[in-house]
Structures are given as structure tokens and as C-alpha cells.
Amino acid sequence: MGTLVGHVAPGFAFLALGLWHLFSHIRLHAQQPSSYRSSPWFPTSKSRYLELFLIMLASSVSVSMELFIGPESHQPFDSDGTIPSNHLHNFEHSSISITFFVYAAFAVLLDRIGPAAQYGLTQFLGALAFGQQLFLFHLHSADHMGVEGQYHFLLQIVIAVSLATTLMGIGLPESFMVSFVRSASITFQGVWFVVMGYALWTPSLIPKGCSLALEEGHQVVRCHGEEALHRAKSLVNIQFSWLLIAITIFVISFYLVLVRFYGEKVEYSMLTKEHLLCEESDDVESQEGGKVGERKSFMEIGRGSVPNDMER
């Protein structure tokens, strides 16, 4: 992180993960509304662990970029083996990625072993990853007071929602709303990362009265005066509020579309089954009716034959 690509790339990763979970939870709830049970991750038709493998891959790439590819010397340490001040945030970001890698790796292992506490432990590992993310962004070594600090402060609110709903999911596995809000918050994280990357490192998008300045080998936004800083932070707050409204409209609309699609398929399937059952019951009744008719005709023939014998 610390660059446009460093924010946009993980932003798209979070966005894809959030949309995938949003889609999967809504589909699962639409298909099984009375027996819905949340899942920390979802298999695909191509590979059972594709989601988890992609998380591990993205985390590995992120660590490599932060510690080995990004630095000019292609290693994050100083000549005496210590961590220089301008690389502290690289270690912070890579620690977040390592925690998500640990979550995905153990999620695969737990699914392969299948212990009784698999669901709770997987949710706990997910909560740990979000907790690590919140902890390191809250105590970030980067700017806390400027425009970038305001973006990070608002990001922490979204991460806190992801953390809280993941912890709630341990005790409420059958709650669709907990899973829905968590998926929406992960989607929001992704969008906010992308917006942050473009807003902080695109010169034409820097607020009036502010500009990019090079500090400790990194470009940061610096505002010239308190009024310009206050205006820039207010614009960040307005961006966040507008995105909150837009994402709310999107996730609710997404829910309605998917419920209509998958709900109709389930309803059609149920109606088809009921129709087949009705046809089978009608066939049974007609067969039983035919047997009763045969018995009646046989009895009538029997009754008719008795008087003839007596007459004889």
C-alpha cells in the first residue's frame, strides 16, 4: 500500500470477495429460507477451495510487493538489520496479509479434517483477520491527522462492522442478516480502498488547497492551511456518506433481484413436485376405483347366478 496500485489492487480483491459472499448468501437463503445456515466460505463448481486458494494467492502477492518487490533494495531491512522508519508501514500491511493467509490455509485444513468445531473455528480465524486489520490501521505509522488519516479513520468503521458481524456469526449461524451485513461491509471495504487509492494519488483529484508532497520516500497529501485541511476532510466525509447510500441501494436491489430469480425457481420446483404428487395420487385413486368397480360387478354376477341355480 502507500500507492495508488497498493490500494486499488487489494480494493478489487475485497470487492470481489464481498460480492461473491453477498451473491452466495442471498442465493442460499432464497433456496433454503427455513433451513438457512451461514458458511464462512463457499465452494465453486470448478474447485471446492478456489475462494480460499485465491485469498492465499492474493495475500502472498501482497506480502511480496510490500517486503521484496516494492522496496528499492528489494528487501525491507536497513544495512544493520533493523527496520527503517520508511518501511514500518510495509510490515504493517504485510502483517494483515499474512493473517488472511493463515485464515484461508487453516480453513482448508479444517474442512479436510472436519472437526466438530469447524464452523466456529473458521469464523474465529476470519474475525482474527479483521481484528488484525482494524488494530494495524488504527495504530498505523502513516499520517493520522491529514487527508489520508481521515480516509483510514472511516475505513476503520467499516472494518469494525466486518469484525463485529463475523464474531456474531459464531453464535448466530442461522441469521441471514448477520451474513448479509458482513458481506456488504466487505464489499464496502473494497470500494473504499479503490476510492482511497485514486483520490490520494491522482493529482487532478486532490482537493483544492492541497497537493502531493514527498515524505520519507512516499507521496502524501498535504494541505496548505487549516481551512484547506478542514475542507478536504469534509469532502472525504461526504464521499463516504454518498458511497454508503449507493452501496445500500445496490445491496438491497441485488437482494431483490436474486430472491426473485432463485425464489421463483424454488417455487416452480415445489409446484412441480406437488403436481407430480397429485397426479400420482389421482392414478392410485383411479386404480383403487377400478378395483372396487370390478368387485361390484363380480358380486352382481354372483347374485344373478344364485336364483338361476335355485330355479333349477
Side-chain angles (χ1 to χ4, degrees), residues 189-213:
Q189 275 198 60
V191 174
W192 193 241
F193 268 119
V194 173
V195 170
M196 193 188 314
Y198 281 106
L200 290 175
W201 286 279
T202 304
S204 60
L205 298 178
I206 302 297
K208 186 169 61 177
C210 306
S211 60
L212 284 171

PDB file of all heavy atoms in Angstrom, residues 189-213:
ATOM      1  N   GLN A 189     -15.610  -2.197   2.038  1.00  0.00           N
ATOM      2  CA  GLN A 189     -14.154  -2.090   2.203  1.00  0.00           C
ATOM      3  C   GLN A 189     -13.461  -2.001   0.849  1.00  0.00           C
ATOM      4  O   GLN A 189     -12.576  -1.156   0.639  1.00  0.00           O
ATOM      5  CB  GLN A 189     -13.618  -3.313   2.960  1.00  0.00           C
ATOM      6  CG  GLN A 189     -13.684  -3.236   4.460  1.00  0.00           C
ATOM      7  CD  GLN A 189     -12.767  -4.260   5.103  1.00  0.00           C
ATOM      8  OE1 GLN A 189     -11.561  -4.245   4.895  1.00  0.00           O
ATOM      9  NE2 GLN A 189     -13.341  -5.155   5.888  1.00  0.00           N
ATOM     10  N   GLY A 190     -13.851  -2.904  -0.051  1.00  0.00           N
ATOM     11  CA  GLY A 190     -13.227  -2.918  -1.368  1.00  0.00           C
ATOM     12  C   GLY A 190     -13.419  -1.613  -2.124  1.00  0.00           C
ATOM     13  O   GLY A 190     -12.463  -1.055  -2.684  1.00  0.00           O
ATOM     14  N   VAL A 191     -14.643  -1.113  -2.118  1.00  0.00           N
ATOM     15  CA  VAL A 191     -14.943   0.145  -2.812  1.00  0.00           C
ATOM     16  C   VAL A 191     -14.154   1.303  -2.196  1.00  0.00           C
ATOM     17  O   VAL A 191     -13.583   2.142  -2.916  1.00  0.00           O
ATOM     18  CB  VAL A 191     -16.454   0.434  -2.770  1.00  0.00           C
ATOM     19  CG1 VAL A 191     -16.753   1.815  -3.350  1.00  0.00           C
ATOM     20  CG2 VAL A 191     -17.231  -0.629  -3.540  1.00  0.00           C
ATOM     21  N   TRP A 192     -14.086   1.330  -0.866  1.00  0.00           N
ATOM     22  CA  TRP A 192     -13.406   2.432  -0.181  1.00  0.00           C
ATOM     23  C   TRP A 192     -11.899   2.408  -0.453  1.00  0.00           C
ATOM     24  O   TRP A 192     -11.271   3.449  -0.610  1.00  0.00           O
ATOM     25  CB  TRP A 192     -13.688   2.378   1.309  1.00  0.00           C
ATOM     26  CG  TRP A 192     -13.297   3.623   2.052  1.00  0.00           C
ATOM     27  CD1 TRP A 192     -12.388   3.732   3.063  1.00  0.00           C
ATOM     28  CD2 TRP A 192     -13.806   4.955   1.849  1.00  0.00           C
ATOM     29  NE1 TRP A 192     -12.291   5.034   3.498  1.00  0.00           N
ATOM     30  CE2 TRP A 192     -13.157   5.805   2.769  1.00  0.00           C
ATOM     31  CE3 TRP A 192     -14.745   5.498   0.970  1.00  0.00           C
ATOM     32  CZ2 TRP A 192     -13.417   7.163   2.843  1.00  0.00           C
ATOM     33  CZ3 TRP A 192     -15.001   6.861   1.043  1.00  0.00           C
ATOM     34  CH2 TRP A 192     -14.346   7.666   1.969  1.00  0.00           C
ATOM     35  N   PHE A 193     -11.302   1.211  -0.513  1.00  0.00           N
ATOM     36  CA  PHE A 193      -9.888   1.098  -0.855  1.00  0.00           C
ATOM     37  C   PHE A 193      -9.623   1.665  -2.254  1.00  0.00           C
ATOM     38  O   PHE A 193      -8.643   2.385  -2.483  1.00  0.00           O
ATOM     39  CB  PHE A 193      -9.432  -0.365  -0.809  1.00  0.00           C
ATOM     40  CG  PHE A 193      -8.872  -0.794   0.522  1.00  0.00           C
ATOM     41  CD1 PHE A 193      -9.477  -1.814   1.242  1.00  0.00           C
ATOM     42  CD2 PHE A 193      -7.739  -0.199   1.038  1.00  0.00           C
ATOM     43  CE1 PHE A 193      -8.964  -2.222   2.466  1.00  0.00           C
ATOM     44  CE2 PHE A 193      -7.206  -0.590   2.255  1.00  0.00           C
ATOM     45  CZ  PHE A 193      -7.824  -1.616   2.975  1.00  0.00           C
ATOM     46  N   VAL A 194     -10.489   1.320  -3.211  1.00  0.00           N
ATOM     47  CA  VAL A 194     -10.319   1.798  -4.582  1.00  0.00           C
ATOM     48  C   VAL A 194     -10.452   3.324  -4.638  1.00  0.00           C
ATOM     49  O   VAL A 194      -9.623   4.019  -5.259  1.00  0.00           O
ATOM     50  CB  VAL A 194     -11.341   1.128  -5.527  1.00  0.00           C
ATOM     51  CG1 VAL A 194     -11.281   1.758  -6.919  1.00  0.00           C
ATOM     52  CG2 VAL A 194     -11.096  -0.376  -5.621  1.00  0.00           C
ATOM     53  N   VAL A 195     -11.474   3.851  -3.989  1.00  0.00           N
ATOM     54  CA  VAL A 195     -11.680   5.305  -3.954  1.00  0.00           C
ATOM     55  C   VAL A 195     -10.490   6.001  -3.300  1.00  0.00           C
ATOM     56  O   VAL A 195      -9.996   7.027  -3.785  1.00  0.00           O
ATOM     57  CB  VAL A 195     -12.989   5.636  -3.197  1.00  0.00           C
ATOM     58  CG1 VAL A 195     -13.088   7.135  -2.931  1.00  0.00           C
ATOM     59  CG2 VAL A 195     -14.195   5.168  -3.994  1.00  0.00           C
ATOM     60  N   MET A 196     -10.004   5.416  -2.203  1.00  0.00           N
ATOM     61  CA  MET A 196      -8.861   5.986  -1.495  1.00  0.00           C
ATOM     62  C   MET A 196      -7.630   6.047  -2.402  1.00  0.00           C
ATOM     63  O   MET A 196      -6.903   7.052  -2.432  1.00  0.00           O
ATOM     64  CB  MET A 196      -8.560   5.133  -0.258  1.00  0.00           C
ATOM     65  CG  MET A 196      -7.604   5.792   0.728  1.00  0.00           C
ATOM     66  SD  MET A 196      -7.071   4.659   2.065  1.00  0.00           S
ATOM     67  CE  MET A 196      -8.627   3.938   2.537  1.00  0.00           C
ATOM     68  N   GLY A 197      -7.388   4.957  -3.124  1.00  0.00           N
ATOM     69  CA  GLY A 197      -6.217   4.918  -3.986  1.00  0.00           C
ATOM     70  C   GLY A 197      -6.236   6.000  -5.050  1.00  0.00           C
ATOM     71  O   GLY A 197      -5.229   6.700  -5.264  1.00  0.00           O
ATOM     72  N   TYR A 198      -7.371   6.157  -5.710  1.00  0.00           N
ATOM     73  CA  TYR A 198      -7.460   7.177  -6.765  1.00  0.00           C
ATOM     74  C   TYR A 198      -7.497   8.589  -6.188  1.00  0.00           C
ATOM     75  O   TYR A 198      -6.889   9.514  -6.757  1.00  0.00           O
ATOM     76  CB  TYR A 198      -8.693   6.931  -7.633  1.00  0.00           C
ATOM     77  CG  TYR A 198      -8.500   5.824  -8.646  1.00  0.00           C
ATOM     78  CD1 TYR A 198      -9.091   4.581  -8.470  1.00  0.00           C
ATOM     79  CD2 TYR A 198      -7.707   6.027  -9.777  1.00  0.00           C
ATOM     80  CE1 TYR A 198      -8.905   3.557  -9.389  1.00  0.00           C
ATOM     81  CE2 TYR A 198      -7.516   5.013 -10.712  1.00  0.00           C
ATOM     82  CZ  TYR A 198      -8.115   3.781 -10.508  1.00  0.00           C
ATOM     83  OH  TYR A 198      -7.915   2.769 -11.422  1.00  0.00           O
ATOM     84  N   ALA A 199      -8.194   8.776  -5.074  1.00  0.00           N
ATOM     85  CA  ALA A 199      -8.357  10.122  -4.517  1.00  0.00           C
ATOM     86  C   ALA A 199      -7.060  10.669  -3.925  1.00  0.00           C
ATOM     87  O   ALA A 199      -6.824  11.887  -3.949  1.00  0.00           O
ATOM     88  CB  ALA A 199      -9.451  10.114  -3.447  1.00  0.00           C
ATOM     89  N   LEU A 200      -6.206   9.788  -3.382  1.00  0.00           N
ATOM     90  CA  LEU A 200      -4.989  10.250  -2.709  1.00  0.00           C
ATOM     91  C   LEU A 200      -3.774  10.327  -3.626  1.00  0.00           C
ATOM     92  O   LEU A 200      -2.805  11.002  -3.284  1.00  0.00           O
ATOM     93  CB  LEU A 200      -4.677   9.326  -1.525  1.00  0.00           C
ATOM     94  CG  LEU A 200      -5.625   9.400  -0.328  1.00  0.00           C
ATOM     95  CD1 LEU A 200      -5.251   8.352   0.708  1.00  0.00           C
ATOM     96  CD2 LEU A 200      -5.595  10.792   0.298  1.00  0.00           C
ATOM     97  N   TRP A 201      -3.792   9.632  -4.762  1.00  0.00           N
ATOM     98  CA  TRP A 201      -2.593   9.597  -5.607  1.00  0.00           C
ATOM     99  C   TRP A 201      -2.871   9.980  -7.061  1.00  0.00           C
ATOM    100  O   TRP A 201      -2.091   9.665  -7.950  1.00  0.00           O
ATOM    101  CB  TRP A 201      -1.936   8.218  -5.524  1.00  0.00           C
ATOM    102  CG  TRP A 201      -1.230   8.045  -4.212  1.00  0.00           C
ATOM    103  CD1 TRP A 201       0.017   8.505  -3.866  1.00  0.00           C
ATOM    104  CD2 TRP A 201      -1.742   7.403  -3.053  1.00  0.00           C
ATOM    105  NE1 TRP A 201       0.303   8.191  -2.569  1.00  0.00           N
ATOM    106  CE2 TRP A 201      -0.753   7.492  -2.039  1.00  0.00           C
ATOM    107  CE3 TRP A 201      -2.940   6.734  -2.755  1.00  0.00           C
ATOM    108  CZ2 TRP A 201      -0.929   6.966  -0.763  1.00  0.00           C
ATOM    109  CZ3 TRP A 201      -3.119   6.206  -1.486  1.00  0.00           C
ATOM    110  CH2 TRP A 201      -2.120   6.316  -0.513  1.00  0.00           C
ATOM    111  N   THR A 202      -3.989  10.658  -7.306  1.00  0.00           N
ATOM    112  CA  THR A 202      -4.263  11.233  -8.625  1.00  0.00           C
ATOM    113  C   THR A 202      -4.258  12.747  -8.475  1.00  0.00           C
ATOM    114  O   THR A 202      -5.161  13.308  -7.821  1.00  0.00           O
ATOM    115  CB  THR A 202      -5.628  10.762  -9.171  1.00  0.00           C
ATOM    116  OG1 THR A 202      -5.667   9.333  -9.202  1.00  0.00           O
ATOM    117  CG2 THR A 202      -5.870  11.317 -10.556  1.00  0.00           C
ATOM    118  N   PRO A 203      -3.254  13.429  -9.017  1.00  0.00           N
ATOM    119  CA  PRO A 203      -3.119  14.883  -8.796  1.00  0.00           C
ATOM    120  C   PRO A 203      -4.381  15.677  -9.116  1.00  0.00           C
ATOM    121  O   PRO A 203      -4.709  16.638  -8.403  1.00  0.00           O
ATOM    122  CB  PRO A 203      -1.962  15.271  -9.726  1.00  0.00           C
ATOM    123  CG  PRO A 203      -1.144  14.018  -9.832  1.00  0.00           C
ATOM    124  CD  PRO A 203      -2.144  12.891  -9.814  1.00  0.00           C
ATOM    125  N   SER A 204      -5.107  15.289 -10.153  1.00  0.00           N
ATOM    126  CA  SER A 204      -6.305  16.051 -10.539  1.00  0.00           C
ATOM    127  C   SER A 204      -7.459  15.877  -9.551  1.00  0.00           C
ATOM    128  O   SER A 204      -8.409  16.665  -9.587  1.00  0.00           O
ATOM    129  CB  SER A 204      -6.760  15.624 -11.940  1.00  0.00           C
ATOM    130  OG  SER A 204      -7.075  14.240 -11.965  1.00  0.00           O
ATOM    131  N   LEU A 205      -7.372  14.853  -8.692  1.00  0.00           N
ATOM    132  CA  LEU A 205      -8.435  14.615  -7.722  1.00  0.00           C
ATOM    133  C   LEU A 205      -8.095  15.122  -6.316  1.00  0.00           C
ATOM    134  O   LEU A 205      -8.911  14.992  -5.398  1.00  0.00           O
ATOM    135  CB  LEU A 205      -8.745  13.106  -7.650  1.00  0.00           C
ATOM    136  CG  LEU A 205      -9.266  12.453  -8.929  1.00  0.00           C
ATOM    137  CD1 LEU A 205      -9.481  10.955  -8.720  1.00  0.00           C
ATOM    138  CD2 LEU A 205     -10.565  13.118  -9.384  1.00  0.00           C
ATOM    139  N   ILE A 206      -6.906  15.702  -6.157  1.00  0.00           N
ATOM    140  CA  ILE A 206      -6.510  16.244  -4.853  1.00  0.00           C
ATOM    141  C   ILE A 206      -7.360  17.483  -4.560  1.00  0.00           C
ATOM    142  O   ILE A 206      -7.562  18.328  -5.432  1.00  0.00           O
ATOM    143  CB  ILE A 206      -5.012  16.625  -4.851  1.00  0.00           C
ATOM    144  CG1 ILE A 206      -4.154  15.410  -5.193  1.00  0.00           C
ATOM    145  CG2 ILE A 206      -4.607  17.203  -3.503  1.00  0.00           C
ATOM    146  CD1 ILE A 206      -4.245  14.287  -4.210  1.00  0.00           C
ATOM    147  N   PRO A 207      -7.918  17.595  -3.333  1.00  0.00           N
ATOM    148  CA  PRO A 207      -8.771  18.756  -3.006  1.00  0.00           C
ATOM    149  C   PRO A 207      -8.048  20.092  -3.187  1.00  0.00           C
ATOM    150  O   PRO A 207      -6.819  20.174  -3.071  1.00  0.00           O
ATOM    151  CB  PRO A 207      -9.133  18.523  -1.533  1.00  0.00           C
ATOM    152  CG  PRO A 207      -8.961  17.057  -1.321  1.00  0.00           C
ATOM    153  CD  PRO A 207      -7.844  16.641  -2.218  1.00  0.00           C
ATOM    154  N   LYS A 208      -8.833  21.114  -3.460  1.00  0.00           N
ATOM    155  CA  LYS A 208      -8.288  22.460  -3.646  1.00  0.00           C
ATOM    156  C   LYS A 208      -7.583  22.925  -2.368  1.00  0.00           C
ATOM    157  O   LYS A 208      -8.093  22.745  -1.266  1.00  0.00           O
ATOM    158  CB  LYS A 208      -9.421  23.418  -4.009  1.00  0.00           C
ATOM    159  CG  LYS A 208      -8.957  24.817  -4.358  1.00  0.00           C
ATOM    160  CD  LYS A 208     -10.086  25.627  -4.960  1.00  0.00           C
ATOM    161  CE  LYS A 208     -11.263  25.776  -3.998  1.00  0.00           C
ATOM    162  NZ  LYS A 208     -12.330  26.635  -4.566  1.00  0.00           N
ATOM    163  N   GLY A 209      -6.409  23.497  -2.535  1.00  0.00           N
ATOM    164  CA  GLY A 209      -5.636  23.939  -1.381  1.00  0.00           C
ATOM    165  C   GLY A 209      -4.707  22.880  -0.835  1.00  0.00           C
ATOM    166  O   GLY A 209      -4.014  23.114   0.157  1.00  0.00           O
ATOM    167  N   CYS A 210      -4.669  21.719  -1.474  1.00  0.00           N
ATOM    168  CA  CYS A 210      -3.789  20.619  -1.056  1.00  0.00           C
ATOM    169  C   CYS A 210      -2.975  20.145  -2.254  1.00  0.00           C
ATOM    170  O   CYS A 210      -3.330  20.397  -3.408  1.00  0.00           O
ATOM    171  CB  CYS A 210      -4.606  19.450  -0.491  1.00  0.00           C
ATOM    172  SG  CYS A 210      -5.732  19.901   0.856  1.00  0.00           S
ATOM    173  N   SER A 211      -1.899  19.432  -1.976  1.00  0.00           N
ATOM    174  CA  SER A 211      -1.046  18.920  -3.055  1.00  0.00           C
ATOM    175  C   SER A 211      -0.267  17.719  -2.546  1.00  0.00           C
ATOM    176  O   SER A 211      -0.207  17.454  -1.344  1.00  0.00           O
ATOM    177  CB  SER A 211      -0.087  20.005  -3.548  1.00  0.00           C
ATOM    178  OG  SER A 211       0.745  20.432  -2.480  1.00  0.00           O
ATOM    179  N   LEU A 212       0.331  16.979  -3.499  1.00  0.00           N
ATOM    180  CA  LEU A 212       1.155  15.821  -3.142  1.00  0.00           C
ATOM    181  C   LEU A 212       2.551  16.282  -2.764  1.00  0.00           C
ATOM    182  O   LEU A 212       3.148  17.133  -3.425  1.00  0.00           O
ATOM    183  CB  LEU A 212       1.233  14.853  -4.327  1.00  0.00           C
ATOM    184  CG  LEU A 212      -0.011  13.995  -4.582  1.00  0.00           C
ATOM    185  CD1 LEU A 212       0.129  13.256  -5.919  1.00  0.00           C
ATOM    186  CD2 LEU A 212      -0.220  12.994  -3.461  1.00  0.00           C
ATOM    187  N   ALA A 213       3.067  15.708  -1.664  1.00  0.00           N
ATOM    188  CA  ALA A 213       4.417  16.029  -1.212  1.00  0.00           C
ATOM    189  C   ALA A 213       5.162  14.735  -0.926  1.00  0.00           C
ATOM    190  O   ALA A 213       4.571  13.744  -0.493  1.00  0.00           O
ATOM    191  CB  ALA A 213       4.359  16.900   0.042  1.00  0.00           C
TER     192      ALA A 213
END
